[in-house]
Structure formats: structure tokens, C-alpha cells
Amino acid sequence: MSTVNDIKSMRIRGASEIAIASLKHLKKHGGKKSFNKEAKKLLAARPTAVALYNIMDELRKGRNINDLLEEIKTTTDKMAEHGQKLVKRNAIIMTHCHSSSTLAVIKKARDKKIRVIATMTEPREQGKLTARELVKAGIPVTLIVDSAVGYFMPDVDLVLVGADALRNKLINKIGTCPLAITANEFGKPVYVAASTMKLDRREKFKIEMRPADEVCSKIAGVKILNPAFDETPWKYIRAVITEEGIKKPKDIMRLLE
Ligand code: RI2
């Protein structure tokens, strides 16, 4: 299977992982024609996440693939360092989906005796990936169905999620918006771990609609819709953890101007 198909089928997923895999794939396509052809296919594979689009822009400006790969790594380390400061001792963190940026922050805070509640993240259940990764890192984790966030919210100290794009709203995995609204109703802060690579200045933007059979098998007469992401108004977000430090939503809006 090609990298493009792996990204489409979500064998490779997560905005940063997609960017890394794409850069490695493009390394094999040095010629301008072949490079442009592959770049177009990669961008079309998951159209909502912006990181890859921004990275392509950097490549066009003459940046080098190896440097960009290195930069993604150091950026994640910096986000982890800034983000762990928001996590108090014995904190219970609720997270959604599987975000490498979020997990870097959580792992950095491990010694504070934290616990994590991970949502399953239907329909693709990326919460399982998060749970497995946390167990490996020696962090206690409880996996819950998405509809249980209200049940567990009273126990939670903070909600921490990733981002696919930072626009006039936060674009992240479907289910982020109801999670953030629930957290606000219970007075719990919601933080986003996302590098400035996620700043999205694209004019054209669309939420990816994924295959209906990811939700369930056909039911005669029933229309099934499967949007991959939703849009959370910034008023529900306390701050964004970037490689440059902790930024308020209004700072993010300023960066987008
Ligand atoms: P990192 C994922 O999208 C999730 O929505 C996650 O929050 C986001 O990418 C960011 O991931 P998908 O590819 O860049 O699973 O923090 O649809 O790894």
C-alpha cells in the first residue's frame, strides 16, 4: 500500500504523523514533476488538517525535508515542556482521540501522579491508541465511550485535546465541540496542544466527510453521515499550548490576521 492510501484509510493518522509520513514519502520523489504529483495526492488524502499544507508551503520556499522533520520533533518537545506547567499534581486529564501533541504534554507530566480519562472517539476508536500508548508510558488510564463525558466530567481537572487546524474556530476530531461545551458547563478548563504549524490561513476549507460504513452497515432508507471533524468556538477554550508558549484564543486570532 502506498503512503497516500495509508493516509486515506487512516492506517497513518494524526495531523503530525500524516505530515511526517508525507515528508518521508516526498523524499523519494526528487524530480519536480513527480514531487508535485505526489504532493497533490497527499494533500487531497485528508483535506481538513492544515499541517501538511503549511509544510508544503515551507518546501516551496526552499526548506529542506530533513530540517522540517527535525523541526516537528523539537516543536513537540517544546509544547510538552510548556504544557506540563498547566498540569497540577494528581490531576485527572480527559482527552479525546489520539494526538501526539497532547500525549507529549501528558507524558511530560507523568511524575505528577496524573491519571487520564480517554474517550473512545467513535467511529474509528482512536482512543484505544491513546490508552495503549499511556499504559506503555506507565500512566493510569480509563477508557470511556464518548457519550460518558458528562458522567465523568465532575472528576476531571482539565480537558486536553489536539488540533487539526486553528481557524476562527478550533478544528479537531468530531466530538471535540460537545466535549468542550460539557467541560465549560462543569467549569473545567479546556486546553489545546497544537504547534503554530496548525495555524490555518487557507481560504478554501472543508470538513472531511468520511465513508458511511465507518459508522455502521447500511440500514434501508437511512442516510448515514460521518464528518471527521467539528468546529469548536474559541469561547470554550482556555488556551492553546504551542511551541512558543501558552497562547490565549485571542492571541491565536491575532496570529491568523
Ligand atoms: P497531532 C487527529 O486527526 C486528531 O483529530 C488529533 O486531535 C489531531 O489529528 C492532531 O494530532 P485524525 O488524523 O498532530 O485522527 O497532535 O483524523 O498528532
Side-chain angles (χ1 to χ4, degrees):
M1 264 243 235
S2 75
T3 306
V4 175
N5 284 336
D6 283 350
I7 291 172
K8 258 193 204 156
S9 67
M10 290 177 68
R11 208 185 67 73
I12 298 171
R13 28 52 322 110
S16 306
E17 281 307 314
I18 290 169
I20 291 167
S22 299
L23 281 171
K24 287 182 179 164
H25 177 73
L26 287 171
K27 248 172 127 173
K28 296 183 222 143
H29 295 268
K32 199 171 175 199
K33 212 169 156 200
S34 147
F35 183 96
N36 285 341
K37 201 173 133 206
E38 292 305 307
K40 214 171 154 190
K41 281 198 268 176
L42 288 164
L43 281 172
R46 300 289 311 278
T48 304
V50 74
L52 183 57
Y53 176 90
N54 285 341
I55 279 171
M56 297 285 190
D57 227 32
E58 292 294 310
L59 288 174
R60 270 181 220 113
K61 284 181 202 153
R63 294 281 306 276
N64 162 296
I65 290 184
N66 288 336
D67 288 353
L68 285 167
L69 283 167
E70 187 55 32
E71 196 174 299
I72 294 174
K73 204 193 152 308
T74 52
T75 296
T76 306
D77 293 345
K78 284 181 195 161
M79 278 192 285
E81 189 48 48
H82 293 304
Q84 59 84 23
K85 293 178 194 149
L86 298 169
V87 182
K88 295 204 175 76
R89 223 178 151 67
N90 297 314
I92 298 182
I93 304 171
M94 187 178 274
T95 190
H96 186 57
C97 200
H98 180 262
S99 149
S100 60
S101 320
T102 298
L103 282 164
V105 173
I106 294 173
K107 286 182 198 169
K108 195 80 183 173
R110 181 180 49 192
D111 295 345
K112 297 185 192 178
K113 300 225 174 312
I114 53 166
R115 280 180 292 151
V116 176
I117 298 175
T119 59
M120 184 63 93
T121 318
E122 286 103 2
R124 294 296 298 259
E125 303 186 340
Q126 292 108 310
K128 286 182 191 168
L129 299 172
T130 297
R132 283 195 199 107
E133 199 170 325
L134 289 169
V135 166
K136 236 185 182 171
I139 298 171
V141 56
T142 305
L143 191 60
I144 62 168
V145 291
D146 297 358
S147 45
V149 295
Y151 180 91
F152 289 101
M153 198 55 81
D155 305 334
V156 166
D157 293 293
L158 69 147
V159 171
L160 181 57
V161 295
D164 291 84
L166 307 172
R167 297 177 62 87
N168 60 345
K169 290 183 185 150
L170 163 70
I171 314 300
N172 194 46
K173 179 59 55 179
I174 194 78
T176 301
C177 182
L179 171 60
I181 293 171
T182 307
N184 275 259
E185 188 58 36
F186 282 82
K188 312 294 169 126
V190 181
Y191 295 107
V192 177
S195 76
T196 54
M197 194 173 71
K198 306 277 178 73
L199 289 168
D200 189 355
R201 300 180 179 92
R202 290 175 295 184
E203 268 174 35
K204 271 196 198 152
F205 171 78
K206 67 168 182 189
I207 296 281
E208 174 190 357
M209 202 54 85
R210 294 198 53 86
D213 63 7
E214 288 185 347
V215 175
C216 66
S217 48
K218 271 192 181 148
I219 305 171
V222 176
K223 181 177 180 177
I224 299 168
L225 291 175
N226 184 19
F229 307 100
D230 62 19
E231 306 187 30
T232 305
W234 284 113
K235 68 175 175 182
Y236 298 116
I237 308 295
R238 180 74 60 88
V240 181
I241 303 158
T242 77
E243 75 279 20
E244 295 171 0
I246 313 289
K247 295 194 186 290
K248 295 270 174 213
K250 66 172 186 327
D251 303 325
I252 297 294
M253 293 316 294
R254 214 168 289 140
L255 286 171
L256 284 170
E257 276 167 11

